[in-house]
Amino acid sequence: MKVVIVGGVAGGATAAARLRRLDEGAEIVVFERSGYVSYANCGLPYYIGGEITDRGELTLQTPESFRRRFNVDVRVHHEVTAIHPAEKTVEVRDLETGRTFAESYDKLLLSPGAAPVKPEIPGVDGPRVFTLRTVEDTFRIHDFIAEKAPKTALISGGGFIGLEMAENLTARGIQVTLLQRPKQVMRPLDPDMAAMLHARLRKAGVQLYLGTSAAALHPTERGVEAELTDGRRLEADMVLLAIGVQPDGSLARAAGLQVNSRGAIVVNDRMETSQPDIYAVGDAVEITHFVSGRRASVALAGPANKQGRIAADNIAGLDSRYTGAQGSSVLKLFDMTAAVTGLNEAAIKAAGLTYDKVVLTSSSHAAYYPGAKSMVVKVLFEVPTGKILGGQIVGYGGVDKRIDVLATAIRAGMTAFDLTELDLSYAPPYSSAKDPVNMAGFVMENVLTGKVRQFHWHDVAALPKDGSVVLLDARTKGEFDRGHIEGALHIPVDELRERMEELPGDKPIYVYCHSGLRSYIACRMLTGSGRECYNLSGGYSFYASVRKDQCPGPQGTGPCGLAR
C-alpha cells in the first residue's frame, strides 16, 4: 500500500508516524511545501521574543530523522498542485527546481492546514508587513527585528497569535499597538472575561484599539502608516497581520471534494472525505463540535494530532472514530493565563441551549500559603440538568490545571453536582481543600437547587431606581470607600444580623461583595429572615473590571458609574 500525505506539520506528521507503527510495509510519502516538517508551530512567537533561543528547537523532526526512525519519504519544498481522484494521482511541483511530476497513491491524506487571512486592502504585501504561520515567517520577522531595530509595531488581530506576539514584541522593547475589529480580544472568551486581558495589555503598555481595523497600509520613509476604518491614522515601523486563518481547502475543492462555505474540507468521523480513499485532517477540515453537535472548524494542534492518528488507523484497516473537538485552549499573556473549553455564551445561544452561568473568584492555592493569586472562573451549564457546557478561567497561577479538569468533566458528560464530588489533590502550595473546580460546583448546585438566586453584572444597570428594590453592599467600610456601585446601601455582612431592621421586608434586595462569597452569606441571612434576595455573580471585582473596560476613551479610562 502506498500512502501520500499532503502537509507535514501536526496532523500529517502524526499520521505518518502512526501509520508506520501500524504497517511496516507501507510506502509513505509526505509532501511539504515549506522547508520544515513537524515543527512547533505554537512556539514560533517565543523564538521571536527570545524565550526560545535555538532555531533548531523549533523543529521536532527533519526529513532525515523521519527517514531514519520511520522510513518515511519526506520531501520539503514540494507543493501538491492538483489531485486526480479517478487516476489516484497528485500533481507535484518541486519548488527548488521547478520540475513537475505525477505521484500515484492508494490512499491520500490531506493535511494542508490553514493560511493566514490577508485583508483585501492596499499595502498588505509591503516589505514591512508580516504574517506568522511557518518557520520561514518566524525567521523573517526575527531577522527583520535584528537588522532594522524597529521601535514600534502594529498588530492587526487579537487572537492567539496577535496576543502572543504583543507579549513577545514588548519583551523585545518594541512599543506595540494592537487593533481588533471586534470589541474584545480572544474571541473564545466571553466579553466580560476578555475585559481582564484588556486591562493586562494596557498595564504592559500595549496601545489597544478595539472595534476598528486597518483599511489601508501606506508605506512611509521609515515604516508603515495604517489608515483605520474609523478614520484615525497610526504609524509603525512594522505591521503584523494576525486576523485569523482560512482553511486551505483549495486543492480539495478543485478535485471535486465536498467543502463548506469557508472552504473547509468536509469529513466524517473516520476522517474520510467525500471521495473514496481520500482522508483529511487538521486546520483544513470541518468536524463536529463535541458539546453543541454542530459542524465547526477548530484550528488547534491537539485536535489535528488526534485526527492524524485516527486517519492513520483507518487507512491501516482499523476502525477509529473522532468524536469531536471542544476547543480546549490556553494562552499566556505576560504573567497572566487565560484558558477556555467547551462553548461560550454566543455559541450556546447559537445552539439553542437553555443555560445559566456562575462567576467566582478563587485562589490558586491556599490563601494562607505565600504566593497565592486569584483566578476568575466562569462556568456555563445547562438548565435544568446542570450539565457542564463550557468553562473560562483568567488568572495568574493554576489556571491550566483547572481548565483541564473542566475539559475532562465536559468530555465525561458531568454535571454541576458531579463537580462537587470530585476528589482533587490538595496541599497548601498547590490548591485548597475546596478546589476552585469544587467551588464552581457548589455555586452551581446552589443556583440549580434554589438556595440562591443571582444577578449578573449586565443586570445592574436595569435595576429600578425608584426605590422598589434595594442594592446592598456587604463589604467593609474601607472597601466601600474605595469604590462601590452608585446607589448602594452599605451594611457589612458581619453587622447584618444586628442591622436587619434597616432593610425593608417587602422589597427585593440585591447584594454584592468583593467576590460573591460574603454576599452569598448575606443572602442566606436575608432569605432566612423572609426577605427576597439576589447575589451578584462574580462580585464587585468582576463588575468593576467589566465596567472599567467599557469606559469611553482610547485607554478605557473614565468613571464608569462607579462611585467613590
Side-chain angles (χ1 to χ4, degrees):
M1 177 175 64
K2 181 178 180 180
V3 180
V4 170
I5 298 174
V6 180
V9 191
T14 296
R18 172 68 171 175
L19 187 58
R20 173 58 71 222
R21 293 194 294 271
L22 295 175
D23 187 344
E24 184 61 27
E27 179 183 358
I28 306 170
V29 181
V30 177
F31 293 115
E32 169 57 45
R33 60 190 164 196
S34 77
Y36 300 87
V37 293
S38 190
Y39 56 83
N41 189 285
C42 298
L44 301 182
Y46 300 100
Y47 176 74
I48 295 170
E51 288 291 322
I52 299 171
T53 57
D54 183 356
R55 290 190 175 198
E57 294 294 328
L58 296 175
T59 52
L60 308 178
Q61 293 283 352
T62 65
E64 294 74 24
S65 66
F66 242 106
R67 168 71 76 177
R68 287 193 303 270
R69 179 164 296 180
F70 298 110
N71 190 26
V72 171
D73 180 8
V74 178
R75 307 182 202 177
V76 296
H77 293 136
H78 280 68
E79 181 178 16
V80 174
T81 57
I83 304 168
H84 302 295
E87 294 81 13
K88 285 197 167 184
T89 62
V90 294
E91 290 182 19
V92 186
R93 178 186 297 115
D94 184 333
L95 298 178
E96 293 181 348
T97 67
R99 182 178 72 93
T100 61
F101 59 94
E103 189 81 23
S104 64
Y105 66 83
D106 296 310
K107 303 286 185 180
L108 177 66
L109 173 64
L110 303 178
S111 183
V117 173
K118 277 192 172 184
E120 295 182 0
I121 60 173
V124 293
D125 295 317
R128 289 175 176 258
V129 180
F130 302 90
T131 59
L132 179 58
R133 185 67 178 175
T134 66
V135 174
E136 288 90 344
D137 294 335
T138 308
F139 294 161
R140 192 176 302 116
I141 296 170
H142 186 277
D143 293 345
F144 174 85
I145 294 172
E147 294 170 8
K148 303 296 184 182
K151 303 297 184 186
T152 58
L154 177 68
I155 298 175
S156 182
F160 287 96
I161 291 295
L163 294 176
E164 289 167 352
M165 283 299 293
E167 175 187 350
N168 282 281
L169 291 178
T170 299
R172 294 290 299 267
I174 298 172
Q175 173 63 56
V176 175
T177 297
L178 191 146
L179 309 178
Q180 173 76 332
R181 183 169 58 184
K183 292 186 176 181
Q184 69 164 94
V185 300
M186 198 175 173
R187 295 297 299 281
L189 287 176
D190 289 323
D192 48 14
M193 296 293 285
M196 289 175 280
L197 273 63
H198 300 164
R200 188 64 189 88
L201 286 163
R202 291 169 178 137
K203 182 181 178 182
V206 175
Q207 302 292 315
L208 191 58
Y209 289 78
L210 302 176
T212 189
S213 59
L217 300 171
H218 304 294
T220 66
E221 186 176 332
R222 291 193 61 254
V224 181
E225 181 186 64
E227 180 183 341
L228 307 189
T229 53
D230 60 12
R232 287 180 287 184
R233 292 176 178 267
L234 301 172
E235 289 193 18
D237 297 331
M238 62 179 292
V239 173
L240 175 71
L241 299 176
I243 59 177
V245 294
Q246 185 77 18
D248 190 353
S250 55
L251 269 177
R253 180 190 289 109
L257 277 65
Q258 183 182 356
V259 299
N260 68 12
S261 59
R262 295 188 66 237
I265 306 167
V266 177
V267 295
N268 61 17
D269 60 357
R270 289 169 51 88
M271 308 315 298
E272 296 169 322
T273 71
S274 58
Q275 288 282 356
D277 298 321
I278 302 180
Y279 299 76
V281 300
D283 294 357
V285 304
E286 177 195 79
I287 48 86
T288 299
H289 195 284
F290 179 79
V291 184
S292 69
R294 295 161 66 94
R295 301 296 285 177
S297 295
V298 178
L300 294 169
N305 278 276
K306 294 179 182 70
Q307 293 160 17
R309 180 184 177 91
I310 288 168
D313 284 357
N314 290 305
I315 289 171
L318 304 179
D319 184 17
S320 291
R321 307 280 174 161
Y322 186 65
T323 56
Q326 60 195 67
S328 301
S329 53
V330 64
L331 168 78
K332 176 185 178 294
L333 187 65
F334 302 100
D335 56 348
M336 178 177 274
T337 302
V340 300
T341 187
L343 303 177
N344 61 17
E345 290 198 59
I348 290 174
K349 292 173 183 175
L353 300 173
T354 303
Y355 79 103
D356 204 346
K357 57 194 175 186
V358 296
V359 179
L360 60 150
T361 300
S362 294
S363 292
S364 54
H365 57 250
Y368 61 82
Y369 187 86
K373 294 187 176 181
S374 65
M375 67 176 72
V376 177
V377 182
K378 181 175 184 178
V379 184
L380 308 160
F381 58 98
E382 188 177 46
V383 175
T385 65
K387 182 178 179 181
I388 308 303
L389 300 175
Q392 304 169 35
I393 309 178
V394 178
Y396 294 90
V399 169
D400 52 339
K401 72 174 183 176
R402 273 57 182 236
I403 205 69
D404 284 343
V405 174
L406 290 175
T408 304
I410 290 173
R411 182 63 57 163
M414 295 174 70
T415 69
F417 306 101
D418 295 319
L419 295 190
T420 68
E421 298 179 2
L422 289 179
D423 192 350
L424 303 174
S425 61
Y426 161 60
Y430 301 104
S431 185
S432 300
K434 290 183 284 191
D435 187 85
V437 175
N438 296 132
M439 290 301 300
F442 296 144
V443 177
M444 287 184 283
E445 179 187 49
N446 285 339
V447 172
L448 287 163
T449 57
K451 294 183 181 68
V452 67
R453 286 178 284 190
Q454 58 180 357
F455 67 113
H456 300 282
W457 68 266
H458 48 78
D459 298 320
V460 173
L463 291 178
K465 306 296 191 297
D466 58 2
S468 59
V469 303
V470 176
L471 181 63
L472 177 63
D473 188 319
R475 299 175 299 158
T476 65
K477 183 179 185 303
E479 290 174 298
F480 183 82
D481 290 343
R482 286 192 293 271
H484 57 271
I485 302 174
E486 285 185 309
L489 172 67
H490 177 233
I491 302 178
V493 63
D494 293 336
E495 301 175 15
L496 184 58
R497 286 189 179 89
E498 291 71 27
R499 299 174 60 182
M500 192 73 71
E501 70 281 355
E502 297 178 31
L503 296 169
D506 59 348
K507 296 179 181 178
I509 301 173
Y510 292 78
V511 191
Y512 70 88
C513 67
H514 179 74
S515 66
L517 176 58
R518 284 172 290 171
S519 51
Y520 162 66
I521 295 170
C523 255
R524 293 308 301 160
M525 292 183 196
L526 291 163
T527 301
S529 70
R531 290 167 169 83
E532 181 182 347
C533 185
Y534 299 84
N535 185 26
L536 178 59
S537 178
Y540 179 81
S541 61
F542 188 65
Y543 171 83
S545 170
V546 180
R547 292 295 292 124
K548 287 177 182 177
D549 190 55
Q550 295 174 340
C551 290
Q555 288 301 303
T557 57
C560 304
L562 303 177
R564 289 184 180 272

